[in-house]
Amino acid sequence: MKENPERIIPERLLAEIHGATNIVLLTHSHPDGDALGSLFAFADILETLGKKVLCFLEEPVSHHYDFLPDIQRANTSLQTFRQFVIDAGADILMVGLDCGDDDRLGKSKAEFLKIEPFLVIDHHRSHRTFGTISWVDPCRSSTGEMIYELAQALNVPISYNCAYNLYVAICTDTGSFRYECTTPRTMHIAADLLDKGVRPEEVGSHLYDKYSVERLKLMEMVLATINLCAQNQIAFMHVSGKMLKESGATIQDVEGFVDLPRSLHSVKVAVLLKETSNGVVAVSMRAKGQCDVAAVAKGFDGGGHRNAAGFRCQGKTIQQVQQELQDALSRALL
Ligand code: AMP
Ligand code: MN
Ligand code: MN
């Protein structure tokens, strides 16, 4: 692979980390495996360096990720965050991980961004610059991979817990080392994490073999909504609040559903539309090959990666969003 200048960690970013004593780590709302794995792994690395770290999350960690080591680091109290900032005084550093734009920092975004310096470490192709110093590398499989490189640059040995969290981050964002973002470097890093004692079958069983009967019932209902169009190149599915109620599953249980229609031979883009409790339709897209769903998501004020992207829509029905998206995707597939 050709050397990409952005693969090099900015010196200023390293200097800010070295110089700070109190560090707040943030990630995107509705955090996935990469967001959480990177967060807890980086906290471990920073504590090894003697820093005082606060991992702030807007909401408690989804039960889907309750097996992550160091999950007790997650703090959802804004009051605790504010006190941490007051106690830190001028010696504070904010870090946003795996966050493609500042809106994804969640409800307290304005309060977070007021504090400087604000470092940003991310790998989204659709990244919209924010913060004071950014390290954004869309050629990276995951933010977890970048945190591994940071540990190397900071000369911090990786603990077992840190390795475990980084492995989860990389494994989930690469679709278990299947997506095109999986590079030789990704595999070398994963191999090193196994050397630290991580067992892939254990992580795999937590990620993929722990589902509930309620989730299976929900899957049956969601699969019944499948709608193929554009010569079977686009597959739409949706999940409604009513289906959640009837199945007894939660919205977090839909994780992975969008991969089901993606596995069809003819399908180039799979879409899952989710009706959430506050009148928002959340959309997940997964593509194969050349179709850039991040570009399509941008047209709806969302973002993501070329083959995995999403957006949220307020005040529209699932059917309306589906129709608009079908038009946009059909154009993108031309
Ligand atoms: P998901 O389908 O929720 O797993 O998201 C797939 C990818 O799309 C993730 O990497 C996200 O960064 C991105 N994404 C999802 N939802 C949004 C959104 N509302 N705004 C920007 N990016 C999003
Ligand atoms: Mn993420
Ligand atoms: Mn990521």
Side-chain angles (χ1 to χ4, degrees):
M1 185 181 286
K2 253 176 66 184
E3 187 65 27
N4 172 350
E6 290 188 341
R7 295 187 87 84
I8 298 159
I9 305 170
E11 279 302 325
R12 275 181 66 207
L13 188 122
L14 292 170
E16 292 290 357
I17 294 169
H18 278 302
T21 313
N22 304 291
I23 303 181
V24 178
L25 298 184
L26 306 167
T27 186
H28 61 79
S29 47
H30 311 288
D32 49 23
D34 187 28
L36 295 169
S38 301
L39 190 79
F40 299 137
F42 198 27
D44 186 84
I45 292 162
L46 293 171
E47 279 187 4
T48 306
L49 284 171
K51 315 288 182 189
K52 211 169 152 228
V53 184
L54 180 78
C55 293
F56 183 81
L57 290 175
E58 200 167 77
E59 281 168 4
V61 174
S62 145
H63 68 81
H64 194 72
Y65 291 109
D66 61 8
F67 67 94
L68 290 180
D70 293 343
I71 194 168
Q72 76 286 352
R73 287 183 192 275
N75 200 307
T76 54
S77 157
L78 264 177
Q79 209 181 336
T80 306
F81 160 74
R82 286 173 186 147
Q83 194 57 52
F84 185 90
V85 175
I86 291 169
D87 293 344
D91 184 356
I92 186 129
L93 181 63
M94 303 290 284
V95 185
L97 299 167
D98 197 42
C99 209
D101 66 71
D102 59 3
D103 279 340
R104 299 206 80 211
L105 288 172
K107 295 187 204 91
S108 310
K109 152 189 150 172
E111 187 169 350
F112 297 149
L113 289 171
K114 269 200 305 222
I115 307 168
E116 291 191 333
F118 195 116
L119 309 187
V120 172
I121 301 169
D122 185 40
H123 69 126
H124 286 88
R125 181 172 288 259
S126 62
H127 188 89
R128 282 185 269 230
T129 307
F130 67 99
T132 6
I133 303 168
S134 304
W135 177 32
V136 179
D137 187 351
C139 299
R140 293 291 185 168
S141 69
S142 51
T143 302
E145 190 176 312
M146 300 169 79
I147 297 299
Y148 176 93
E149 305 289 19
L150 257 181
Q152 304 283 300
L154 294 165
N155 240 327
V156 176
I158 291 178
S159 70
Y160 170 76
N161 280 5
C162 179
Y164 197 115
N165 277 312
L166 290 179
Y167 187 85
V168 170
I170 297 171
C171 187
T172 50
D173 255 28
T174 55
S176 305
F177 305 98
R178 285 181 305 139
Y179 301 153
E180 65 167 359
C181 58
T182 310
T183 63
R185 181 68 187 149
T186 314
M187 290 306 208
H188 280 122
I189 293 171
D192 190 39
L193 299 176
L194 299 193
D195 266 340
K196 305 273 185 289
V198 177
R199 290 174 34 233
E201 79 281 16
E202 191 203 321
V203 176
S205 75
H206 280 299
L207 284 174
Y208 308 117
D209 302 332
K210 242 185 25 178
Y211 294 130
S212 63
V213 173
E214 287 77 13
R215 180 180 185 266
L216 200 70
K217 283 189 191 153
L218 182 66
M219 189 186 284
E220 195 182 345
M221 293 175 187
V222 173
L223 274 177
T225 71
I226 203 158
N227 180 345
L228 293 164
C229 54
Q231 288 90 42
N232 297 343
Q233 292 183 95
I234 309 174
F236 284 101
M237 296 193 310
H238 66 261
V239 56
S240 64
K242 189 162 168 266
M243 291 179 205
L244 292 177
K245 216 166 164 191
E246 282 175 10
S247 62
T250 67
I251 193 70
Q252 292 154 356
D253 284 319
V254 304
E255 181 139 337
F257 281 15
V258 68
D259 292 319
L260 297 167
R262 183 188 178 274
S263 67
L264 291 174
H265 184 60
S266 63
V267 165
K268 292 195 175 141
V269 184
V271 183
L272 178 67
L273 302 114
K274 296 165 270 188
E275 186 181 71
T276 68
S277 49
N278 48 2
V280 169
V281 175
V283 180
S284 284
M285 294 187 277
R286 297 292 183 272
K288 284 189 291 208
Q290 294 310 303
C291 182
D292 182 355
V293 280
V296 175
K298 260 191 164 175
F300 292 83
D301 281 332
H305 312 277
R306 195 166 77 183
N307 288 162
F311 62 89
R312 295 167 82 79
C313 248
Q314 179 98 46
K316 286 184 186 160
T317 64
I318 285 182
Q319 285 69 28
Q320 285 169 323
V321 179
Q322 178 165 329
Q323 190 54 56
E324 287 177 27
L325 187 54
Q326 185 175 332
D327 295 342
L329 284 172
S330 301
R331 281 194 300 273
L333 283 171
L334 283 179

